[in-house]
Amino acid sequence: LYRVDPQTAQATLVGPVLVAGSQVSVTALAFHPQTGVLYGVSGSEYSPSRQLFTIGPVTAATTVIGTIGTIRTENVSDLSFAADGTLYG
């Protein structure tokens, strides 16, 4: 996870995103509009499942919420919250 300065594009490493002790690629990120919690998705078109997790923006620590349904052939490359707090991927 990197923190990026929008004024200069300077990136600062926060830390690796680990799920079950293994570093993962994050394919999507979104902040919940009311709580400010950062959510991420791991996985790719080649992995058997997509994991939804929260990420600590200061430490990159993760908490797995679970597997996103049965999505196997599509990559979740974006997450977005509706104004009512519904998460879409």
Side-chain angles (χ1 to χ4, degrees):
L1 181 68
Y2 288 87
R3 185 174 31 256
V4 180
D5 183 329
Q7 303 297 318
T8 65
Q10 179 68 36
T12 304
L13 179 64
V14 174
V17 177
L18 303 174
V19 172
S22 297
Q23 187 168 340
V24 297
S25 294
V26 178
T27 60
L29 289 171
F31 270 103
H32 189 284
Q34 284 89 28
T35 66
V37 173
L38 179 61
Y39 289 83
V41 172
S42 68
S44 71
E45 60 193 283
Y46 304 108
S47 62
S49 64
R50 311 291 184 269
Q51 294 291 313
L52 178 67
F53 46 86
T54 60
I55 306 171
V58 175
T59 63
T62 63
T63 301
V64 175
I65 296 169
T67 300
I68 300 176
T70 58
I71 301 171
R72 290 186 57 101
T73 60
E74 298 295 328
N75 189 13
V76 178
S77 59
D78 191 22
L79 288 176
S80 183
F81 280 96
D84 67 0
T86 302
L87 179 61
Y88 292 92

